[in-house]
Amino acid sequence: MLKAENFEMGNVRIERRYETRAWDIQGQPALSITVRSNVILTQGFSAIAAKLDDPESLIGTWALVTAQDFKGKIIGIVGPLAEHRDRLFNASQDDQVKAQIKAAVDDDIVVTLQTSFKKTYDYPLACLQPSLDMDTLTKFDLDTYQITQAWRFSPENRRKLVRKIADQIRQDQPLINSADHPLFFTTAASLQISNQIRVGNDQAFPYAEKQLMNQLRTHGIYQKAAKFSHNGGEFVIGIIDGRRRPNNTGFGQELTKLLRSLGFNPKFLDPYRVTQISPVTLETAVNTVKAQNPDLILGLLPQKRPGDGSVYGRLKALTVGEDLPSQMVYEPTLGKKYAVNNVVLGMLAKTGNTLFTLAEPLEFTDYVVGLDVARQVKANQQGSMNCTAIARVYLNTGHLFGYRINDAPIPGETLPLNVLESLFPAEHFAGKRVIIHRDGLFRGAEKHHLHTIAHHLGATFSFVEVRKSGAPRLYREYPNPDPHQPRSVVQPQKGDCLILSNTAALMVSSLPPSSGVTPQPLHIRCDPALGIERAIHSIFALTLLHNGSVKSPRLPVSLHYSDKIGSLALKGIKPKSLDGVLPFWL
């Protein structure tokens, strides 16, 4: 049945797959059905890698293990297959994979894949096919618009397909809905969770992406950084221009107009042109621009292409290493007027300005801390080494208090007591109520260690696990004007939840920009003492606070972007001036 939904576009094949999963919903057994699309580049990885100057450009790309039908993200380059063939052949239990390893050439590249459950595996590229996501479509010079249109299901079409699959499993089995099971579902409004933010002049408004810029222009941002309050708002911007054919898009004029409307006076330094991109030319550019004391470096980057993936990373590494905030903009973005809003908000947030905060503090906690771990792959064997633990700390008002980081090598999957202690110093956390958001699961003895720390501090720690994958979609249904037609199916709303128990829920944390896309909920689990309603409240509130964009993130800001911060720290990319604490502008 699903094969009828597959189709090909040139060298891209879109395959429809389904997954089932068992759930306990308030003591009742249930089965979820999820339809997903794999976008496969039919040109093999080995052919792509042969064209690349730097195999590390493949890092971040999703790959399908063709023999075993699972996906993972490439997170590391291990080396040539000749050095690892015997290890991989002996470790594999799959005859088809063994045959592929045996047939592959010696100079094929072995990479490390990480699954959505944080498991890591090594494979040669001969066993893999590129599986594309939104971030990598442009990397392979593909028609992003056409592919994404074919890739996506509208809520209504997705719901119909789920119904068809459900009927194959069990005819006429009712789908769970709020009409028949009102206690299974709730909304942010029903839980009386405020969606109001506070901007300048102490004005509070419901968070609305389309209205945010008008509110900031009218009332100003919540609080300027001290530097800009004292210098009349002068904002010095250095520019590194790495575009292949620079032309005037009007982006600079739009940037100036918007910054002035928000109370800042931009001063653009003469652009530094980089005609041949290399580590040396980029380092020279950063050092030259830094000498002019800008508040921020604006990097104008060429369109993403195979082999160019490291330009962003190199510039970001150089600016972070020099304690300089930076904002990168890809060339195609310069022609999109709506993008200037996000660029300006990002520039202001990274230079220490608070654009808006929560209108109502979270009364049930003093701090919300996002805890994440970045792992470094071992070079010659399966498994990983935890190398960087990050804690991002927010006050209950929504103000960013700061980051803490520990990057001592940590074998195994669990954060030990001494590392966790370094993330929760007594001077800040003694006697406090703290909610800890964990990206994924707490592992091993982590909760026990944290309870020990809380006991020594006289504090109360509550735990919330936030899982990004594995949850089925939720939908809203409305009566059709024609009583003989089925109800219309649309997107859920931000804050819609399926309550699994008093400690677990599926939560729609943000909506995609298009109404024709169905969001994937977060899977949340928490302590009984905290309760699922407060856990939902803490996540909902912190998804309102992404100061660097008009679009609220899917993850709460306590966890948003932490994987990228961790990957920088793994490479030794940290500000010189800070010891163990990362600045807000990362």
Side-chain angles (χ1 to χ4, degrees), residues 215-236:
Q215 293 165 0
L216 293 175
R217 286 192 195 97
T218 302
H219 302 286
I221 67 172
Y222 180 81
Q223 186 176 56
K224 284 184 180 179
K227 175 179 181 178
F228 300 112
S229 296
H230 297 148
N231 71 358
E234 183 178 80
F235 194 134
V236 182

Side-chain angles (χ1 to χ4, degrees), residues 293-312:
N293 297 315
D295 295 308
L296 174 138
I297 287 183
L298 180 63
L300 307 180
L301 307 185
Q303 181 172 351
K304 288 183 183 179
R305 298 172 187 270
D308 282 350
S310 58
V311 177
Y312 173 96

Side-chain angles (χ1 to χ4, degrees), residues 401-562:
F401 184 74
Y403 293 79
R404 293 196 66 83
I405 185 168
N406 183 300
D407 61 350
I410 309 160
E413 295 290 325
T414 302
L415 293 176
L417 178 62
N418 65 311
V419 169
L420 290 168
E421 285 176 332
S422 72
L423 301 177
F424 295 91
E427 62 179 314
H428 300 313
F429 292 97
K432 300 297 184 181
R433 300 167 301 165
V434 183
I435 292 177
I436 301 175
H437 291 165
R438 181 68 152 95
D439 190 348
L441 304 179
F442 287 96
R443 298 180 180 274
E446 286 175 355
K447 283 187 179 181
H448 174 74
H449 292 333
L450 288 165
H451 278 305
T452 300
I453 294 168
H455 176 73
H456 291 159
L457 294 174
T460 302
F461 285 3
S462 301
F463 307 120
V464 180
E465 295 176 336
V466 182
R467 302 182 69 172
K468 301 185 288 288
S469 60
R473 265 70 170 190
L474 304 180
Y475 308 85
R476 281 198 175 225
E477 289 186 334
Y478 291 97
N480 196 303
D482 183 347
H484 302 291
Q485 296 297 319
R487 296 163 67 89
S488 59
V489 179
V490 298
Q491 277 183 346
Q493 293 181 7
K494 180 181 175 70
D496 284 353
C497 299
L498 172 60
I499 303 297
L500 304 175
S501 70
N502 67 334
T503 60
L506 307 182
M507 174 188 175
V508 178
S509 56
S510 68
L511 298 180
S514 167
S515 61
V517 180
T518 319
Q520 185 170 20
L522 300 176
H523 182 193
I524 303 164
R525 300 197 308 187
C526 69
D527 298 334
L530 179 66
I532 194 60
E533 292 185 3
R534 286 182 171 178
I536 290 169
H537 192 163
S538 71
I539 291 172
F540 182 92
L542 267 67
T543 59
L544 302 175
L545 290 177
H546 188 226
N547 272 217
S549 172
V550 295
K551 178 78 178 73
S552 62
R554 182 166 173 245
L555 287 175
V557 290
S558 52
L559 299 174
H560 179 67
Y561 208 75
S562 58

Side-chain angles (χ1 to χ4, degrees), residues 31 131 142 144 323 479 518 527 552:
L31 187 73
S131 181
L142 298 170
T144 305
D323 293 352
T518 319
D527 298 334
S552 62

Side-chain angles (χ1 to χ4, degrees), residues 320 388-391 400-405 565-566 568-569 573-575 578-586:
V320 169
T388 301
I390 303 163
L400 175 62
F401 184 74
Y403 293 79
R404 293 196 66 83
I405 185 168
I565 296 172
L568 289 174
I573 301 165
K574 291 179 292 181
L578 297 168
D579 180 16
V581 181
L582 286 176
F584 49 81
W585 44 260
L586 273 171

